[in-house]
PDB file of all heavy atoms in Angstrom:
ATOM      1  N   ARG A  22     -39.815 -11.483  10.249  1.00 58.00           N
ATOM      2  CA  ARG A  22     -40.248 -12.027  11.500  1.00 58.00           C
ATOM      3  C   ARG A  22     -41.217 -10.978  12.007  1.00 58.00           C
ATOM      4  O   ARG A  22     -42.276 -11.302  12.686  1.00 58.00           O
ATOM      5  CB  ARG A  22     -39.171 -12.318  12.464  1.00 58.00           C
ATOM      6  CG  ARG A  22     -38.534 -13.539  12.270  1.00 58.00           C
ATOM      7  CD  ARG A  22     -37.645 -13.900  13.565  1.00 58.00           C
ATOM      8  NE  ARG A  22     -36.927 -12.851  14.084  1.00 58.00           N
ATOM      9  CZ  ARG A  22     -35.692 -12.402  13.765  1.00 58.00           C
ATOM     10  NH1 ARG A  22     -35.064 -13.072  12.757  1.00 58.00           N
ATOM     11  NH2 ARG A  22     -35.108 -11.480  14.253  1.00 58.00           N
ATOM     12  N   ALA A  32     -38.960   0.162   3.226  1.00 88.00           N
ATOM     13  CA  ALA A  32     -38.672   1.093   2.217  1.00 88.00           C
ATOM     14  C   ALA A  32     -37.635   2.080   2.542  1.00 88.00           C
ATOM     15  O   ALA A  32     -36.700   2.375   1.656  1.00 88.00           O
ATOM     16  CB  ALA A  32     -39.963   1.826   1.641  1.00 88.00           C
ATOM     17  N   TYR A  36     -33.918   2.595   0.957  1.00 91.00           N
ATOM     18  CA  TYR A  36     -33.336   3.958   0.555  1.00 91.00           C
ATOM     19  C   TYR A  36     -31.985   4.269   1.172  1.00 91.00           C
ATOM     20  O   TYR A  36     -31.118   4.662   0.421  1.00 91.00           O
ATOM     21  CB  TYR A  36     -34.438   5.025   1.087  1.00 91.00           C
ATOM     22  CG  TYR A  36     -33.853   6.482   1.066  1.00 91.00           C
ATOM     23  CD1 TYR A  36     -34.108   7.267  -0.156  1.00 91.00           C
ATOM     24  CD2 TYR A  36     -33.257   7.004   2.051  1.00 91.00           C
ATOM     25  CE1 TYR A  36     -33.663   8.547  -0.230  1.00 91.00           C
ATOM     26  CE2 TYR A  36     -32.843   8.395   2.059  1.00 91.00           C
ATOM     27  CZ  TYR A  36     -33.127   9.090   0.946  1.00 91.00           C
ATOM     28  OH  TYR A  36     -32.721  10.406   0.833  1.00 91.00           O
ATOM     29  N   ALA A  43     -24.601   4.096  -3.614  1.00 96.00           N
ATOM     30  CA  ALA A  43     -24.363   5.137  -4.622  1.00 96.00           C
ATOM     31  C   ALA A  43     -22.943   5.769  -4.365  1.00 96.00           C
ATOM     32  O   ALA A  43     -22.421   6.236  -5.346  1.00 96.00           O
ATOM     33  CB  ALA A  43     -25.491   6.187  -4.492  1.00 96.00           C
ATOM     34  N   ARG A  45     -20.352   4.190  -4.289  1.00 93.00           N
ATOM     35  CA  ARG A  45     -19.415   3.437  -5.073  1.00 93.00           C
ATOM     36  C   ARG A  45     -19.493   3.544  -6.558  1.00 93.00           C
ATOM     37  O   ARG A  45     -18.963   2.806  -7.340  1.00 93.00           O
ATOM     38  CB  ARG A  45     -19.426   1.939  -4.622  1.00 93.00           C
ATOM     39  CG  ARG A  45     -19.010   1.852  -3.087  1.00 93.00           C
ATOM     40  CD  ARG A  45     -18.994   0.284  -2.755  1.00 93.00           C
ATOM     41  NE  ARG A  45     -20.272  -0.342  -2.888  1.00 93.00           N
ATOM     42  CZ  ARG A  45     -21.180  -0.465  -1.869  1.00 93.00           C
ATOM     43  NH1 ARG A  45     -21.040   0.184  -0.707  1.00 93.00           N
ATOM     44  NH2 ARG A  45     -22.266  -1.057  -1.938  1.00 93.00           N
ATOM     45  N   LEU A  46     -20.398   4.398  -7.084  1.00 94.00           N
ATOM     46  CA  LEU A  46     -20.697   4.600  -8.461  1.00 94.00           C
ATOM     47  C   LEU A  46     -19.441   5.213  -9.105  1.00 94.00           C
ATOM     48  O   LEU A  46     -18.810   5.997  -8.559  1.00 94.00           O
ATOM     49  CB  LEU A  46     -21.884   5.447  -8.705  1.00 94.00           C
ATOM     50  CG  LEU A  46     -23.223   4.918  -8.267  1.00 94.00           C
ATOM     51  CD1 LEU A  46     -24.322   5.911  -8.317  1.00 94.00           C
ATOM     52  CD2 LEU A  46     -23.554   3.502  -9.021  1.00 94.00           C
ATOM     53  N   LEU A  49     -19.414   9.926 -12.030  1.00 86.00           N
ATOM     54  CA  LEU A  49     -20.140  10.880 -11.177  1.00 86.00           C
ATOM     55  C   LEU A  49     -20.910  12.007 -11.971  1.00 86.00           C
ATOM     56  O   LEU A  49     -20.561  12.292 -13.012  1.00 86.00           O
ATOM     57  CB  LEU A  49     -19.042  11.622 -10.173  1.00 86.00           C
ATOM     58  CG  LEU A  49     -18.000  10.671  -9.538  1.00 86.00           C
ATOM     59  CD1 LEU A  49     -17.161  11.430  -8.674  1.00 86.00           C
ATOM     60  CD2 LEU A  49     -18.912   9.779  -8.631  1.00 86.00           C
ATOM     61  N   PRO A  52     -23.728  18.219 -12.541  1.00 74.00           N
ATOM     62  CA  PRO A  52     -24.943  18.955 -12.873  1.00 74.00           C
ATOM     63  C   PRO A  52     -24.632  20.158 -13.785  1.00 74.00           C
ATOM     64  O   PRO A  52     -23.531  20.760 -13.716  1.00 74.00           O
ATOM     65  CB  PRO A  52     -25.371  19.542 -11.400  1.00 74.00           C
ATOM     66  CG  PRO A  52     -24.792  18.566 -10.454  1.00 74.00           C
ATOM     67  CD  PRO A  52     -23.496  18.056 -11.192  1.00 74.00           C
ATOM     68  N   VAL A  55     -29.305  23.367 -18.097  1.00 74.00           N
ATOM     69  CA  VAL A  55     -29.625  23.243 -19.508  1.00 74.00           C
ATOM     70  C   VAL A  55     -31.189  23.647 -19.510  1.00 74.00           C
ATOM     71  O   VAL A  55     -31.911  23.615 -18.578  1.00 74.00           O
ATOM     72  CB  VAL A  55     -29.655  21.742 -19.856  1.00 74.00           C
ATOM     73  CG1 VAL A  55     -28.082  21.329 -19.805  1.00 74.00           C
ATOM     74  CG2 VAL A  55     -30.389  20.753 -18.939  1.00 74.00           C
ATOM     75  N   ILE A  65     -29.462  15.330 -29.014  1.00 93.00           N
ATOM     76  CA  ILE A  65     -29.055  14.044 -28.509  1.00 93.00           C
ATOM     77  C   ILE A  65     -29.140  14.026 -27.009  1.00 93.00           C
ATOM     78  O   ILE A  65     -28.522  14.897 -26.345  1.00 93.00           O
ATOM     79  CB  ILE A  65     -27.828  13.473 -29.024  1.00 93.00           C
ATOM     80  CG1 ILE A  65     -27.727  13.505 -30.495  1.00 93.00           C
ATOM     81  CG2 ILE A  65     -27.382  12.193 -28.386  1.00 93.00           C
ATOM     82  CD1 ILE A  65     -28.930  12.584 -31.273  1.00 93.00           C
ATOM     83  N   THR A  77     -40.362   1.761  -5.749  1.00 92.00           N
ATOM     84  CA  THR A  77     -40.845   1.795  -4.369  1.00 92.00           C
ATOM     85  C   THR A  77     -42.231   2.027  -4.268  1.00 92.00           C
ATOM     86  O   THR A  77     -42.952   2.592  -5.259  1.00 92.00           O
ATOM     87  CB  THR A  77     -40.102   3.024  -3.468  1.00 92.00           C
ATOM     88  OG1 THR A  77     -40.546   2.985  -2.161  1.00 92.00           O
ATOM     89  CG2 THR A  77     -40.469   4.440  -4.106  1.00 92.00           C
ATOM     90  N   GLY A  87     -39.443  12.236   8.885  1.00 86.00           N
ATOM     91  CA  GLY A  87     -39.560  11.594  10.254  1.00 86.00           C
ATOM     92  C   GLY A  87     -41.074  11.164  10.374  1.00 86.00           C
ATOM     93  O   GLY A  87     -41.455  10.716  11.495  1.00 86.00           O
ATOM     94  N   ARG A  94     -51.142   4.316  -3.989  1.00 87.00           N
ATOM     95  CA  ARG A  94     -52.293   3.586  -4.601  1.00 87.00           C
ATOM     96  C   ARG A  94     -51.881   2.513  -5.713  1.00 87.00           C
ATOM     97  O   ARG A  94     -50.676   2.795  -6.204  1.00 87.00           O
ATOM     98  CB  ARG A  94     -53.341   4.652  -5.341  1.00 87.00           C
ATOM     99  CG  ARG A  94     -53.884   5.584  -4.445  1.00 87.00           C
ATOM    100  CD  ARG A  94     -54.861   6.480  -5.040  1.00 87.00           C
ATOM    101  NE  ARG A  94     -54.535   6.799  -6.544  1.00 87.00           N
ATOM    102  CZ  ARG A  94     -54.121   7.928  -6.803  1.00 87.00           C
ATOM    103  NH1 ARG A  94     -53.949   8.923  -6.028  1.00 87.00           N
ATOM    104  NH2 ARG A  94     -53.786   8.184  -8.165  1.00 87.00           N
ATOM    105  N   ARG A  99     -43.585   4.773  -8.407  1.00 92.00           N
ATOM    106  CA  ARG A  99     -42.532   5.678  -8.153  1.00 92.00           C
ATOM    107  C   ARG A  99     -41.123   4.867  -8.090  1.00 92.00           C
ATOM    108  O   ARG A  99     -41.302   3.680  -7.730  1.00 92.00           O
ATOM    109  CB  ARG A  99     -42.662   6.334  -6.748  1.00 92.00           C
ATOM    110  CG  ARG A  99     -43.912   7.270  -6.664  1.00 92.00           C
ATOM    111  CD  ARG A  99     -43.476   8.710  -6.720  1.00 92.00           C
ATOM    112  NE  ARG A  99     -44.738   9.557  -6.837  1.00 92.00           N
ATOM    113  CZ  ARG A  99     -45.446   9.921  -5.767  1.00 92.00           C
ATOM    114  NH1 ARG A  99     -45.279   9.400  -4.637  1.00 92.00           N
ATOM    115  NH2 ARG A  99     -46.520  10.710  -6.060  1.00 92.00           N
ATOM    116  N   SER A 110     -20.991  14.009  -2.425  1.00 92.00           N
ATOM    117  CA  SER A 110     -22.215  13.849  -1.898  1.00 92.00           C
ATOM    118  C   SER A 110     -23.092  12.945  -2.677  1.00 92.00           C
ATOM    119  O   SER A 110     -22.937  12.850  -3.882  1.00 92.00           O
ATOM    120  CB  SER A 110     -22.913  15.173  -1.664  1.00 92.00           C
ATOM    121  OG  SER A 110     -23.115  15.806  -2.814  1.00 92.00           O
ATOM    122  N   LEU A 124     -35.003   8.109 -17.943  1.00 96.00           N
ATOM    123  CA  LEU A 124     -33.664   7.641 -17.432  1.00 96.00           C
ATOM    124  C   LEU A 124     -33.303   6.257 -17.967  1.00 96.00           C
ATOM    125  O   LEU A 124     -32.130   6.100 -18.459  1.00 96.00           O
ATOM    126  CB  LEU A 124     -33.772   7.516 -15.961  1.00 96.00           C
ATOM    127  CG  LEU A 124     -33.726   8.765 -15.198  1.00 96.00           C
ATOM    128  CD1 LEU A 124     -33.961   8.683 -13.699  1.00 96.00           C
ATOM    129  CD2 LEU A 124     -32.428   9.604 -15.506  1.00 96.00           C
ATOM    130  N   ARG A 131     -30.203   8.986 -27.567  1.00 95.00           N
ATOM    131  CA  ARG A 131     -31.543   9.107 -28.242  1.00 95.00           C
ATOM    132  C   ARG A 131     -31.853  10.506 -28.622  1.00 95.00           C
ATOM    133  O   ARG A 131     -31.310  11.455 -27.888  1.00 95.00           O
ATOM    134  CB  ARG A 131     -32.648   8.444 -27.484  1.00 95.00           C
ATOM    135  CG  ARG A 131     -32.287   7.004 -27.181  1.00 95.00           C
ATOM    136  CD  ARG A 131     -33.466   6.146 -26.681  1.00 95.00           C
ATOM    137  NE  ARG A 131     -34.779   6.408 -27.287  1.00 95.00           N
ATOM    138  CZ  ARG A 131     -35.897   6.176 -26.671  1.00 95.00           C
ATOM    139  NH1 ARG A 131     -35.973   5.765 -25.450  1.00 95.00           N
ATOM    140  NH2 ARG A 131     -37.085   6.461 -27.339  1.00 95.00           N
ATOM    141  N   PHE A 143     -48.012   7.779 -20.859  1.00 86.00           N
ATOM    142  CA  PHE A 143     -48.209   8.110 -19.337  1.00 86.00           C
ATOM    143  C   PHE A 143     -49.344   8.953 -19.053  1.00 86.00           C
ATOM    144  O   PHE A 143     -49.282   9.743 -18.215  1.00 86.00           O
ATOM    145  CB  PHE A 143     -46.884   8.623 -18.797  1.00 86.00           C
ATOM    146  CG  PHE A 143     -45.634   7.575 -19.118  1.00 86.00           C
ATOM    147  CD1 PHE A 143     -44.924   7.926 -20.098  1.00 86.00           C
ATOM    148  CD2 PHE A 143     -45.614   6.447 -18.462  1.00 86.00           C
ATOM    149  CE1 PHE A 143     -43.729   7.097 -20.394  1.00 86.00           C
ATOM    150  CE2 PHE A 143     -44.605   5.577 -18.736  1.00 86.00           C
ATOM    151  CZ  PHE A 143     -43.616   5.826 -19.772  1.00 86.00           C
ATOM    152  N   ILE A 155     -37.204  16.446 -18.150  1.00 93.00           N
ATOM    153  CA  ILE A 155     -35.936  16.190 -18.734  1.00 93.00           C
ATOM    154  C   ILE A 155     -34.948  17.319 -18.306  1.00 93.00           C
ATOM    155  O   ILE A 155     -33.791  17.011 -17.904  1.00 93.00           O
ATOM    156  CB  ILE A 155     -36.151  16.118 -20.386  1.00 93.00           C
ATOM    157  CG1 ILE A 155     -36.817  14.919 -20.670  1.00 93.00           C
ATOM    158  CG2 ILE A 155     -34.685  16.260 -20.937  1.00 93.00           C
ATOM    159  CD1 ILE A 155     -37.174  14.784 -22.066  1.00 93.00           C
ATOM    160  N   ARG A 161     -29.624  17.896 -12.608  1.00 92.00           N
ATOM    161  CA  ARG A 161     -28.879  17.086 -11.560  1.00 92.00           C
ATOM    162  C   ARG A 161     -27.720  16.244 -12.032  1.00 92.00           C
ATOM    163  O   ARG A 161     -27.091  15.589 -11.305  1.00 92.00           O
ATOM    164  CB  ARG A 161     -30.005  16.143 -10.880  1.00 92.00           C
ATOM    165  CG  ARG A 161     -30.886  16.917 -10.064  1.00 92.00           C
ATOM    166  CD  ARG A 161     -31.790  15.827  -9.325  1.00 92.00           C
ATOM    167  NE  ARG A 161     -31.899  16.162  -7.870  1.00 92.00           N
ATOM    168  CZ  ARG A 161     -32.874  16.185  -7.255  1.00 92.00           C
ATOM    169  NH1 ARG A 161     -34.103  16.171  -7.843  1.00 92.00           N
ATOM    170  NH2 ARG A 161     -32.764  16.375  -5.873  1.00 92.00           N
ATOM    171  N   GLY A 162     -27.581  16.294 -13.287  1.00 92.00           N
ATOM    172  CA  GLY A 162     -26.370  15.495 -13.906  1.00 92.00           C
ATOM    173  C   GLY A 162     -26.725  13.975 -14.352  1.00 92.00           C
ATOM    174  O   GLY A 162     -25.915  13.348 -14.907  1.00 92.00           O
TER     175      GLY A 162
END
Side-chain angles (χ1 to χ4, degrees):
R22 279 196 321 274
Y36 168 88
R45 295 186 297 272
L46 293 173
L49 306 181
V55 295
I65 303 300
T77 183
R94 294 187 324 257
R99 298 256 170 79
S110 64
L124 286 173
R131 298 195 44 206
F143 305 103
I155 291 169
R161 285 187 128 128

